[in-house]
Amino acid sequence: MTTLNAELRTFYAARQQQIPAEIREIMQRAGRELADSGQADRALTAGDKAPRFTLPSATGQTLSLDALLAEGPVVLTFYRGAWCPYCNIALRHFQQHHQAITARGARLVAVSPQIPDESLTLAEKHDLAFDVLSDLGSDTAKQYGLAFDLPDDLAAVYGKLGFDLQRVNAGHPRTLPLPATYVIDRDGVIRWAFVSTDYTTRAEPADILHLLDALG
């Protein structure tokens, strides 16, 4: 099976050939500025207590971290939205490893700032068996130190590309989370963390399984 990040690298290389040079420059400059901001280093990491949250799911339920932890460890992954092709690739890989994650007694949950209807469409499109939650306004992402605002020129590019973030993010078009995945133990302590300012790289599911094995 191709690893997640190998597929992401292949997709990125092909995608770069399709994007005009002036748009690539805006995207790359925004990426450098975000990396230089040091935000990834300020986000929560292993050893920190996981902030509690209660969020609506794509299917109309409301789920809390406390309720999830009552059942076992939680794998919590933040993604940008259904409009992001890199997120779609990542979520498909998580779905492929979902059974292995649940077999280890853990619960996989994905969180984005998009409205529940968008999350439902995403879940149905990819036959996701795990919960997809809506963090409207990115309040939960802010607690984890992940939320950031798109610069003006990149926000304009996303608009031209047809990403209607004003609608799908319920009036919060500029705020997105850094791609991040956490493994949280039953005591609510983050035991493993992947946080990146580069949306073209993601946590590798195999690494998550190794950590869950170590947790026992």
Side-chain angles (χ1 to χ4, degrees):
M1 181 185 296
T2 303
T3 66
L4 167 54
N5 283 287
E7 183 173 344
L8 289 171
R9 285 192 296 272
T10 299
F11 180 84
Y12 175 80
R15 184 83 160 181
Q16 292 303 291
Q17 303 304 314
Q18 303 167 359
I19 298 175
E22 63 273 16
I23 292 181
R24 285 203 310 271
E25 170 56 28
I26 291 171
M27 290 178 164
Q28 291 167 358
R29 183 171 65 250
R32 290 192 299 269
E33 290 173 353
L34 186 57
D36 291 343
S37 74
Q39 180 163 355
D41 295 328
R42 296 191 296 272
L44 296 189
T45 190
D48 290 329
K49 290 287 287 187
R52 298 310 202 250
F53 58 79
T54 300
L55 296 171
S57 75
T59 56
Q61 299 174 300
T62 299
L63 291 180
S64 71
L65 181 58
D66 283 332
L68 295 168
L69 291 174
E71 301 176 6
V74 169
V75 178
L76 175 65
T77 188
F78 288 85
Y79 68 102
R80 305 196 308 163
W83 54 270
C84 170
Y86 299 92
C87 297
N88 285 291
I89 292 170
L91 291 173
R92 287 200 302 271
H93 274 259
F94 276 108
Q95 176 59 36
Q96 291 168 8
H97 291 80
H98 179 242
Q99 187 172 356
I101 290 171
T102 58
R104 289 160 171 80
R107 184 81 171 264
L108 173 61
V109 178
V111 175
S112 85
Q114 64 187 7
I115 58 177
D117 280 353
E118 290 293 315
S119 298
L120 180 60
T121 300
L122 173 76
E124 291 175 341
K125 177 182 177 182
H126 297 303
D127 292 322
L128 302 182
F130 51 88
D131 289 298
V132 182
L133 306 183
S134 292
D135 178 26
L136 300 182
S138 296
D139 290 337
T140 298
K142 290 174 184 174
Q143 292 182 66
Y144 282 76
L146 303 172
F148 71 97
D149 288 338
L150 294 171
D152 291 341
D153 53 358
L154 184 56
V157 164
Y158 282 176
K160 290 178 182 177
L161 292 174
F163 303 151
D164 188 2
L165 300 188
Q166 177 72 26
R167 181 184 65 82
V168 302
N169 286 2
H172 301 276
R174 297 279 296 279
T175 306
L176 297 176
L178 298 180
T181 299
Y182 294 99
V183 176
I184 305 168
D185 69 19
R186 297 192 67 165
D187 294 324
V189 177
I190 296 170
R191 298 294 296 273
W192 185 86
F194 172 94
V195 180
S196 178
T197 57
D198 181 0
Y199 60 82
T200 71
T201 64
R202 303 297 167 109
E204 206 56 74
D207 294 336
I208 296 168
L209 296 181
H210 290 319
L211 191 281
L212 291 173
D213 286 338
L215 284 180

